[in-house]
Amino acid sequence: MSTAITLKEMVKKPDLLASGHRLCAGCAEPIIARLVLKASRGAIIATTATGCLEVATTIFPYSAWRIPWIHTAFENAAATASGIEAAWRAMRRKGRGPLARYETLDIVAFAGDGGTYDIGLQALSGALERGHDFTYVLLDNEAYMNTGIQRSGGTPYCAWTTTSPAGTVIPGKREWKKPIDEIVIAHEIPYTATVSPAYPLDLMQKARAAFETEGPAFIHAISPCCRGWRFPPNKTIEVARLAVETCFFPLYECRVEDGRPIYKLSPPSLAIAKRPERKKPVEDYLKIQGRFRHLFRPERRGDLIERIQRWVDRRWEMLLEKAGL
Amino acid sequence: MKEAKPGWRELPFGAVPYKSSLEYHTGDWGVERPEFDLEKCTRCTLCHFYCPEGAIGFEAGHPEVDLRY
Amino acid sequence: MSSQRLLGLNGDEAAAYAIKQVNPDVVAAYPITPQTIIVERFSEYVADGLVDTEFVAVESEHSAMSCCIGAAAAGARAFTATAANGLALMWEMLYIAASLRLPIVMAVANRALSAPINIHNDHSDSMGARDSGWIQIYCENSQEVYDACIEAWRIGEHLDVQLPVMVCLDGFTLSHTMENVLTLSDEAVRDFIGERPYIKVQGHLGEAEFRLDPEKPLTMGPLDLYDFYFEHKMHQVEAMRRALKAIPEIDEEYREVSGRSYRLLHPYMMEDAEVALIGLGSTMGTVRHVVDRLRKRGVKAGMVKMRVFRPFPTEELQELLKDVEVVGVLDKAMSFGAPGGPLYEELRAVFYDADERPLIVDYVYGLGGRDTPPNLIEEAYEGLLEVKRRGEAVEKVRFLGVRW
């Protein structure tokens, strides 16, 4: 049987993503990937969309993956995972073929925000609709970081990127972050969750829940990027925690049971729901990131900060309503 | 120091990598060096989980850093 | 030779029936005319429990190929079918399937590429994919489609080859036209294709079979930069070279089972031919008919049907055509801005260094499904005879059947 998810047990479990990968110092992606893989139940196969995680872990002739792993392209992590799952399913049914003997097989697809919100949305939607038994992990660093910080559908309002620069007329990205979780949940898949690397136990527990789910599961991880978000590499966890503490990125799970989405806030966000005075202003989150620097310098843009605060508040209230709180 | 790279006939089929990343030491990229005060350490193990490199182990019952990464 | 059953099948049905007998693990496909009958028929086989296949009705051709790649990487036998714009949409994944060395089989019901949109047959779709690293087999009739859809697995999975295989059948002309097809028993097909073999590789965690195996993990599809990418492309060069040997070997085995054999090329009346046409696909049946007609009139006409376009059978062509005076190339695709159609260019390249070589002219024909009746083919032969009389080809690239 697979080990219970506790920090005490998981610290003993060897990492399935090895050291010596070449992601930046302070990158959240390998933290998230390591934690997700620690939660696997046993046999596991991973696919990764084109992106930082993919390139930096497999620079030929080196590989950091201690599990079977494949990269095919950018927009198709979900479709590639569909194929792996279909192969497993067919072999199970026939009782023949190399994957036939695995009663459980954790199939995981890692993709960034570009590969999920934008170019990969179609393949993701198709795979969710078809109901493949796999776990999709969105590593959301809120821009195309691998190509050098270009805006994506996951980039938040006002954030500077190289294709949504903060100019003298336009203050960064003009559109709001696409509500990807709602889009995913609208597919009525059995399990969706948001996670932050600042809360490893919560992350691993949700990853385990995702693996245990029969059918598609979606994990949305906020993945602070010190290069693209413009903060020092030793602040990654702090930023990942502030995203939750300000309710910019609340942590919750959504299980669809009997056709109805059942939302459940996770402990860090539930604590804020119970004690609303603990909710920190979004400004605390914005001001430690250089990508929002133009909201504070040369002059404070109170109007824009207020607009972002209202967006956070509205979405938080909507979430509380959904969670029946 | 340059290592002679294999010719195409010697490379494994299907472009599969043949070296573990463990052989690739990224430790010298660091601008800071972790230090532990084991007197103060509560063995909460969070440093292990937070380490992007996966370079902090607890096999000894307290944090140990593999500075090669 | 095993006993066979005669069935009336159109080209699409012949493909679907062969794949039913092969019973692959995964079929991922998306509907597109004129391929759709393949996935419809196959869905029926799935619905009736006649196959064990996992049928994945994907949301696009890009995902169809991605799904096949995932499945084949996991060790499965994977099949898909497409045409024209669908093939174009999966373009990116064609190269990736071949470079990852995954022996996927795909039927392409050849159809003209948009724009303007056209559902009828030419070879612009698969000809555009000629550099993608896939083996390409072009079929003349439903029988060949059936046979190629069985042989393709053995060719692609041959341990010297390990490449995906495209079985090309002309849209409508073959896909929707019923013909007599001799079919093997399910058992004979099963015995012929056997189990998919896996090649052993030395990965970063030790030796493993080339597939996604939780026990013996491999990394597939790494980042490969200027220091290794070129070498890996050499593997593909070599695999295609070896496929030229493997295909006739497997074909010979297939002949023992079925009595039918196709090889790389089909010459017809070439022993003493002075003029010859060479081409691909269903048109070659019409050409054969015209050759017979011309022979009755005493014209020393011949023809060569190319069954396998990738890998390109260079030496066989040099041997076959060296004594012919004039060769006309039938290109059912145009490479815009190029010196001529794809087959023409390659054939000329093959003969550039040859001491003995024919005069070569190109006939681009049939674009968008333009009908190519016998009199048009005869016109092409007359053109070749004219070149023969003059001893030179003034107009090297001609457009056959277009209105001026």
Side-chain angles (χ1 to χ4, degrees), chain A residues 23 54 60 65 98 156 188 204 206 220 228 230 268 284 288 292:
Chain A
L23 286 151
E54 171 262 321
F60 196 89
W65 297 88
E188 301 179 349
M204 289 186 286
K206 286 168 173 169
H220 180 183
R230 302 294 200 229
D284 291 3
I288 61 164
F292 295 112

Side-chain angles (χ1 to χ4, degrees), chain A residues 42-46 50 54-76 79-91 93-94 96-99 101-102 105 122-127 129-130 132, chain C residues 22-26 51-64 66-77 89 92-93 96 100 102 195 198 204-205 209 211-225 227-228 232:
Chain A
I44 180 168
I45 296 177
T50 310
E54 171 262 321
V55 302
T57 55
T58 66
I59 303 177
F60 196 89
Y62 299 95
S63 172
W65 297 88
R66 288 175 167 144
I67 56 173
W69 178 95
I70 184 169
H71 159 252
T72 68
F74 192 4
E75 66 278 55
N76 64 350
T80 306
S82 300
I84 297 166
E85 191 258 7
W88 173 51
R89 199 180 280 252
M91 290 181 199
R93 186 167 50 234
K94 289 183 183 183
R96 221 153 38 84
L99 295 178
R101 63 201 178 89
Y102 296 102
L105 179 61
Q122 177 180 316
L124 173 63
S125 177
E129 183 262 334
R130 295 190 299 270
H132 295 280
Chain C
V22 168
N23 196 11
D25 300 294
V26 175
V51 287
D52 305 306
T53 307
E54 192 65 22
F55 181 75
V56 188
V58 283
E59 81 298 332
S60 73
E61 286 89 352
H62 193 283
S63 285
S66 301
C67 186
C68 285
I69 289 170
R77 279 192 162 132
L89 186 58
E92 177 191 28
M93 302 318 296
I96 292 165
L100 287 174
L102 299 172
E195 297 287 328
Y198 305 105
H204 67 297
L205 300 172
E209 286 185 345
R211 58 185 175 80
L212 298 168
D213 179 356
E215 311 267 297
K216 296 197 168 161
L218 283 180
T219 287
M220 297 168 80
L223 175 68
D224 204 25
L225 300 173
D227 47 354
F228 287 100
H232 288 136

Side-chain angles (χ1 to χ4, degrees), chain C residues 33-89:
Chain C
T33 305
Q35 165 278 122
T36 314
I37 301 169
I38 301 177
V39 293
E40 285 175 345
R41 286 295 168 277
F42 198 83
S43 303
E44 290 167 16
Y45 296 139
V46 174
D48 292 337
L50 299 175
V51 287
D52 305 306
T53 307
E54 192 65 22
F55 181 75
V56 188
V58 283
E59 81 298 332
S60 73
E61 286 89 352
H62 193 283
S63 285
M65 188 47 64
S66 301
C67 186
C68 285
I69 289 170
R77 279 192 162 132
F79 174 84
T80 187
T82 192
N85 300 45
L87 187 67
L89 186 58

Side-chain angles (χ1 to χ4, degrees), chain A residues 233-256:
Chain A
N234 58 358
K235 297 281 184 203
T236 305
I237 295 300
E238 189 179 329
V239 172
R241 187 180 295 120
L242 271 169
V244 177
E245 289 173 341
T246 58
C247 299
F248 184 89
F249 192 85
L251 299 185
Y252 64 94
E253 294 170 291
C254 179
R255 290 174 196 272
V256 172

Side-chain angles (χ1 to χ4, degrees), chain C residues 136-206:
Chain C
Q136 288 192 336
I137 297 172
Y138 287 81
C139 303
E140 184 189 323
N141 50 44
S142 293
Q143 183 69 60
E144 288 192 21
V145 174
Y146 172 81
D147 293 326
C149 282
I150 294 166
E151 282 192 75
W153 300 93
R154 290 285 310 279
I155 294 168
E157 292 171 3
H158 193 292
L159 290 178
D160 285 347
V161 180
Q162 298 276 303
L163 288 173
V165 182
M166 217 179 269
V167 176
C168 301
L169 58 148
D170 286 337
F172 292 105
T173 322
L174 293 188
S175 68
H176 287 60
T177 307
M178 190 176 288
E179 295 183 310
N180 286 338
V181 178
L182 276 169
T183 58
L184 298 166
S185 67
D186 291 1
E187 200 186 9
V189 172
R190 251 196 326 269
D191 288 349
F192 179 75
I193 63 159
E195 297 287 328
R196 178 179 159 188
Y198 305 105
I199 202 160
K200 284 254 176 30
V201 291
Q202 193 66 31
H204 67 297
L205 300 172

